[in-house]
């Protein structure tokens, strides 16, 4: 348990460092309102480090116009903005993170309690998003004033 906790803590610190760097590297050309940080379990392979989906504000506005009665649901629905014209999708490519993820994945697959271990990983991604939401994103071009990051199961 302690080894799993330490590994997740390392991954958390790494993600908090890498995600803002990656968003800045993307050189996004249209305003974005959110970032979904996708995490994966044993239904994916051991190379699936968390990925990012950054929907455009124009996508948010379109969804609100199309679904005025369900606007609070639709703007967060990943299936409603998964086309290339709806935003930016990105992998987080980092060998250190990939190595940590492979170690965690091996533990997850060997676990008698896969659900519990996946829950711990999900909570780690939730903590990452919470910390990212406390950051000041105004220096990263094209992020909305109320930019928010949220975890999402992939």
């Amino acid at each position: 348990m302690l080894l799993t906790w330490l590994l997740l803590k390392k991954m958390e610190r790494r993600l908090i460092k890498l995600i803002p760097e990656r968003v800045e590297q993307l050189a996004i050309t249209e305003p974005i309102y959110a970032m979904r940080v996708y995490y994966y379990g044993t239904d994916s392979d051991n190379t699936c480090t968390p990925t990012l989906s950054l929907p455009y504000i124009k996508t948010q506005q379109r969804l609100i116009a199309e679904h005025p009665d369900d606007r609070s649901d639709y703007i967060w629905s990943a299936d409603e903005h998964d086309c290339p014209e709806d935003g930016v999708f990105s992998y987080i490519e980092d060998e250190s993170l990939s190595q940590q993820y492979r170690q965690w994945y091996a533990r997850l697959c060997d676990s008698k309690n896969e659900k519990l271990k996946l829950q711990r990983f999900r909570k780690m991604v939730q903590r990452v998003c919470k910390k990212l939401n406390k950051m000041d994103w105004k220096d990263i071009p094209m992020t909305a004033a109320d930019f928010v990051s949220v975890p999402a199961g992939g």
Side-chain angles (χ1 to χ4, degrees), residues 97-110:
L97 180 64
S98 295
Q99 183 179 23
Q100 293 166 357
Y101 186 81
R102 286 190 298 272
Q103 290 173 9
W104 174 82
Y105 188 87
R107 290 188 181 141
L108 178 66
C109 291
D110 290 342

Side-chain angles (χ1 to χ4, degrees), residues 60-122:
Q60 177 189 40
Q61 292 168 341
R62 176 180 53 84
L63 291 171
I64 289 170
E66 289 174 0
H67 309 280
D69 295 335
D70 297 321
R71 64 190 280 163
S72 62
D73 292 335
Y74 272 90
I75 62 172
W76 299 111
S77 176
D79 294 338
E80 295 299 321
H81 52 74
D82 62 356
C83 297
E85 63 270 10
D86 292 335
V88 177
F89 180 85
S90 178
Y91 294 95
I92 304 170
E93 296 175 3
D94 178 76
E95 186 50 42
S96 176
L97 180 64
S98 295
Q99 183 179 23
Q100 293 166 357
Y101 186 81
R102 286 190 298 272
Q103 290 173 9
W104 174 82
Y105 188 87
R107 290 188 181 141
L108 178 66
C109 291
D110 290 342
S111 175
K112 289 182 170 65
N113 196 342
E114 177 186 332
K115 242 183 199 176
L116 177 62
K117 291 232 173 150
L118 186 56
Q119 180 183 32
R120 289 180 183 143
F121 188 76
R122 183 180 67 242

